């Protein structure tokens, strides 16, 4: 038998995830997710499929925050439930860099500058 895919209202899914302490599914294009996946893979030099805080800091630097610190990365990881000494897999990484709250204030400032019209 073939499984039937059930389409859900995105708002209902986000509410369900939040009620269970999970990050909402990011609203990101496939091209953006693919580009972020490439960054994740480049930073994951050991190819474990997970990044520690120093590797997350490297990724934040690649994404435009030249002054990102390990503390910034640790705070971002904590927002998606990762312990300071833990490792972050791609879905959590995607959530911190595409979610409503930016990974660092400097990335938020860069995003605001890039969306302004001249």
């Amino acid at each position: 038998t073939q499984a039937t895919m059930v389409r859900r209202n995105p708002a209902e899914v986000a509410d369900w995830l939040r009620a269970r302490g999970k990050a909402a599914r990011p609203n990101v294009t496939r091209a953006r997710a693919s580009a972020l996946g490439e960054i994740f893979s480049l930073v994951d030099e050991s190819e474990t499929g997970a990044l520690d805080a120093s590797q997350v800091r490297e990724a934040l630097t690649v994404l435009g925050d030249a002054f990102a610190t390990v503390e910034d990365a640790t705070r971002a990881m904590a927002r998606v439930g990762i312990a300071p000494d833990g490792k972050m897999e791609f879905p959590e990484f995607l959530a911190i860099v595409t979610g409503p709250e930016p990974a660092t204030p400097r990335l938020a400032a860069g995003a605001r500058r890039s969306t302004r019209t001249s």
Side-chain angles (χ1 to χ4, degrees):
T1 64
Q2 190 175 28
T4 303
M5 185 188 319
V6 177
R7 295 205 181 265
R8 303 256 188 235
N9 176 333
E12 290 175 4
V13 172
D15 289 344
W16 186 89
L17 290 168
R18 265 192 297 282
R20 286 155 182 79
K22 306 287 184 187
R25 186 181 313 164
N27 185 15
V28 62
T29 65
R30 287 183 188 199
R32 175 94 167 120
S34 177
L36 292 170
E38 287 181 37
I39 292 169
F40 185 92
S41 294
L42 288 171
V43 173
D44 181 21
E45 294 175 354
S46 60
E47 299 180 1
T48 62
L51 305 179
D52 63 21
S54 68
Q55 292 170 313
V56 171
R57 184 207 60 81
E58 287 180 51
L60 295 174
T61 301
V62 170
L63 289 168
D65 186 350
F67 302 104
T69 65
V70 171
E71 291 77 23
D72 290 331
T74 301
R75 279 191 296 276
M77 291 170 72
R79 285 201 315 269
V80 291
I82 308 294
D85 59 347
K87 295 216 174 214
M88 172 182 286
E89 294 179 350
F90 183 69
E92 291 89 8
F93 175 74
L94 191 60
I96 69 163
V97 297
T98 63
E101 187 177 339
T104 70
R106 291 169 298 277
L107 283 178
R112 281 193 300 271
R113 280 195 301 273
S114 69
T115 58
R116 288 185 184 154
T117 57
S118 312

